[in-house]
Each structure stands twice: as structure tokens, then as C-alpha cells.
Amino acid sequence: MAENNMLITKEQIIQWLAKSAAILNENKAYLTELDSAIGDADHGANMARGFNAVLDKLPAVADKDIGTLLKTTGMTLMSSVGGTSGPLYGAFFMRGASAVAGKAELNADDLGQLLADGSSGIVQRGRAEVGDKTMVDAWLPAVAAFKTALADGKDISAAMQLCVDAAEQGMRSTIPLQAKKGRASYLGGRSIGHQDPGATSTYLLLKALLDTLE
Ligand code: ADP
Ligand code: MG
């Protein structure tokens, strides 16, 4: 049985957001390339702009609790990301923030709740299901894998590794799918054969969290 008493500090949450900004900036051209195949070629710019705006806002709330940090992140993404993904990622961080309101550190169950509530926020807002070729194809298997790992007695890092593996698989699972939601759905059958940009940025965000915990 693995030890599950590791705690995620507020500093690590700040590092996660900073690392997310770095990874999204590094992958800006890649995300844009994916979005140019089945969308309007702005997903890289949208995500980089959004997380750069988050980085600008963080110093002002760095002394607040994790819930406040994540709520600020969500509100900043909603207001700074043009495009569908802004309100969806905004919903993730706002709903996730509510799950950990007032906390200065998170245990494994807190993180599980943050991920579960946050991804439910995305589903409620966008009404996509697994198989619709959206970020939900990465989020839902990832969150399920995290919960299963905790139930199996894995520690936070090991559970997060399985979560990221599932997100990566979910991301790749979008390639053969026909898009049913969002801009890519306008292409009908021509959306088949391309990896979904939003599922890719979701994988990158979760990977940034794993990197932060290691
Ligand atoms: P836009 O489509 O407005 O240009 P982006 O390019 O930033 O916005 O984001 C596109 C991504 O948003 C898609 O790759 C997909 O993952 C995600 N997306 C679009 N619609 C939905 C939805 N209804 N539910 C979940 N995710 C969605
Ligand atoms: Mg786009």
C-alpha cells in the first residue's frame, strides 16, 4: 500500500500554472497547426494568451488560498481567451476552485475532487460527451484514471502519472473520430484523421501538473 499523505502546497499550484504557461507557449505553433487542420488556427494563440494573462495576475493573489488562486485563473481565462476553449477552461478552474475553497494545501482526495468537479464544469458548459472529438475525450478518462489509482492505494504522483497516461491516450483517441461539437464539427467527415487541439492542450496542462509534483 503506497503512502497517501503527501500534500500539494500552494507554491506547487503556482508552479503548475507557471509551468502550464511555459508548456503552452512552447507548444503554441503545434496547437495552432492542429487547429488549422480542423478549426481556425487560433488554439495555440488562445492558450498562450490566456495563460500569459494568468501569469500576470498571479503575483496579486499569491498570498491567498488555493481556491482563490484557481478562481482567479478561471476568471482570467474566461476574459482573455477568445474562442470556445476560454469559457471551457474557465469553467474547469472556477468549478475546481470551488472544490478546494479556502485550502492552503491539497491531499490526494482534494486533487481528485478538483479534477472531477472541474471536468464536470466543462461537460456542463459544452455538453460534449466522450467520442465527440473534444477536450472531454482527454479529461474524462484522465479523471477516472486518477480516481481509480487512488482507490488502488497509489500515491499522488503515481496516480497523476496514470492520469496523464490516460489523457494522452484520450488525446490520441480523437484522431479517428468525427467531430460532433465545436468548430471542427462543421467539417463533418473531413474532421476524421486529425488530433483534436483542445484534447492536446488538456494533456499538456495535466502533464505540467505531473512535472510539478515530481
Ligand atoms: P474555437 O473553436 O472557438 O476557435 P479554440 O480553437 O481555442 O476555440 O478551441 C477549440 C477546442 O475547443 C476544440 O479542439 C475542442 O477540444 C474544444 N471544444 C469545442 N467545443 C467544445 C465543447 N462543446 N465541449 C468541449 N470542448 C469543446
Ligand atoms: Mg480555434
Side-chain angles (χ1 to χ4, degrees):
M1 208 45 142
E3 291 279 324
N4 234 338
N5 49 14
M6 178 193 154
L7 292 173
I8 299 173
T9 63
K10 190 175 78 174
E11 286 67 33
Q12 283 177 304
I13 295 294
I14 293 174
Q15 278 168 27
W16 170 32
L17 297 169
K19 200 163 215 21
S20 296
I23 289 187
L24 290 166
N25 279 293
E26 272 162 35
N27 286 277
K28 186 172 161 179
Y30 174 50
L31 293 173
T32 292
E33 184 191 316
L34 294 175
D35 198 32
S36 69
I38 55 170
D40 56 354
D42 64 353
H43 192 59
N46 284 344
M47 296 306 290
R49 185 187 330 106
F51 275 83
N52 289 339
V54 168
L55 277 195
D56 288 344
K57 285 274 169 64
L58 282 182
V61 288
D63 59 334
K64 301 282 199 298
D65 64 280
I66 292 173
T68 304
L69 284 175
L70 296 177
K71 191 174 162 210
T72 302
T73 299
M75 293 193 312
T76 305
L77 293 177
M78 291 229 187
S79 62
S80 65
V81 179
T84 322
S85 58
L88 293 169
Y89 279 120
F92 172 81
F93 283 100
M94 305 275 286
R95 285 287 304 278
S98 302
V100 299
K103 289 186 191 285
E105 47 195 18
L106 308 181
N107 64 25
D109 290 332
D110 293 332
L111 179 58
Q113 205 59 48
L114 189 171
L115 295 172
D117 287 9
S119 56
S120 296
I122 292 174
V123 171
Q124 273 178 15
R125 180 119 199 174
R127 304 266 161 220
E129 295 171 8
V130 167
D132 286 349
K133 197 182 182 92
T134 70
M135 61 174 74
V136 168
D137 289 318
W139 278 116
L140 295 193
V143 172
F146 187 83
K147 291 219 148 168
T148 302
L150 291 193
D152 290 347
K154 301 268 197 288
D155 67 17
I156 296 185
S157 301
M160 202 55 223
Q161 177 68 63
L162 292 165
C163 175
V164 168
D165 291 347
E168 185 172 12
Q169 243 181 40
M171 170 185 92
R172 297 201 194 291
S173 80
T174 63
I175 297 173
L177 295 173
Q178 176 170 336
K180 298 279 162 49
K181 285 281 190 303
R183 210 176 277 280
S185 66
Y186 309 157
L187 293 177
R190 282 183 293 135
S191 63
I192 292 171
H194 302 280
Q195 184 171 302
D196 180 63
T200 309
S201 55
T202 293
Y203 160 72
L204 293 173
L205 281 180
L206 291 169
K207 177 77 167 64
L209 178 55
L210 174 65
D211 290 350
T212 303
L213 300 182
E214 275 172 346

